[in-house]
Amino acid sequence: MRRLPRFLSFIVLAVLVVTPQGSSTAQVPQDVTGQWMLQLGRRTLFVLVLEPSNGQAGPITGSMSRPAHFTTADAVSFSDVQGPTEVDRIVASRWEGNVLSFTTQNPKDASDKTIYRLTPKDKDDVQLRIEGVPLPPLTFVRPQGDATVSQDWHSGQRYSPDDDAPSNPAMKKIFDEDQRVRLSYPNIDWPSVNKSDAIRRTETMKLLTDGALHSGEDFTWAAHIFQHGSGPDDFLLAHTLAIVAVRKGYSDATWIASATLDRYLQSIKQPQIYGTQFITPDGKPTAQDPYNRVLIPDALRRQLEVPDLAAQQTQRQQYDTQRHIGSKDEKP
């Protein structure tokens, strides 16, 4: 079994598949020469240069440039990206139908070789597989101008192709409407709002399944929509969406990530743990129970942008004032 490339660390979840070798052809199916790059937002992880060769090592020569190390488990998001930039030369190539198979070699170790299989999609888009690695193909595009491997990687940060993608205006519109219908609290027409909430969840799910959500804002807005759902599955999905937003570096999603978990716990008859959920029974004081107040210390609540126990008591009193309900002071 061929060893995996030294620079690629990942979780192997499948049996390695060895691609059968075909015969080379003299005719090049499509002109793939020039520069190609794999972008992660505004950053460039890979730069592939393909040039016509003299035929001794195949139809194509060139190089693959990349950081010395990175980690991926899905070929979509990348972490632990570290330099310096290393450049491997293409030492062999051949066409197998419409697939270009080429081999790169580590200039510091001639025995360290990696085989790639490139499939052209159109003149500005190719897909690249690393042979023997059970991961989806990487999408490379032609750069506008000369491309170079980025150097401004940050330790502990995860990168993906949709980093720095603009937020979806359709998702923002759905979120704004979700918030608008709640502005009249506590005098809200809940039957009407519940019907419109269901429509907004359907619209948000379509954006989600269509792959139309990209930014941390997008996923935070979507989390709010499902936080206003009707059962445990909605709240658990909301929590997942919030976690994605946090993973994308959107710190404003921290509170909704906590609140969605609290609401999920409530929905399965378990105590909330952060204290983000307030219950306003008709004619009775605002409550939070069942609530496990001792599991999470206030210091941790503050890290999660959740008010501490004393502030939560004040919140309950404020809600009761809004609802014109008198209540005795409660101890946190």
Side-chain angles (χ1 to χ4, degrees), residues 278 286 288 312-320 330:
F278 293 83
T286 301
Q288 293 172 280
Q312 290 175 23
Q313 177 179 324
T314 300
Q315 281 183 279
R316 292 197 304 273
Q317 294 168 346
Q318 289 173 342
Y319 287 143
D320 288 340
E330 299 178 58

Side-chain angles (χ1 to χ4, degrees), residues 100-169:
L100 176 66
S101 176
F102 64 90
T103 302
T104 62
Q105 182 180 74
N106 177 5
K108 299 177 182 178
D109 181 358
S111 67
D112 186 1
K113 297 180 179 180
T114 304
I115 300 174
Y116 298 90
R117 294 176 63 80
L118 181 147
T119 303
K121 294 302 178 182
D122 56 46
K123 63 184 182 66
D124 295 318
D125 184 347
V126 298
Q127 291 192 330
L128 196 69
R129 287 184 180 273
I130 305 174
E131 187 172 289
V133 176
L135 290 176
L138 304 165
T139 298
F140 281 63
V141 298
R142 288 192 186 275
Q144 296 181 353
D146 288 335
T148 57
V149 175
S150 298
Q151 303 297 316
D152 58 337
W153 308 103
H154 301 290
S155 177
Q157 185 168 336
R158 187 177 296 271
Y159 302 92
S160 62
D162 59 3
D163 286 350
D164 304 320
S167 299
N168 190 313

Side-chain angles (χ1 to χ4, degrees), residues 161-178:
D162 59 3
D163 286 350
D164 304 320
S167 299
N168 190 313
M171 187 65 249
K172 178 63 162 58
K173 183 178 179 180
I174 294 169
F175 171 74
D176 286 345
E177 181 62 15
D178 171 89

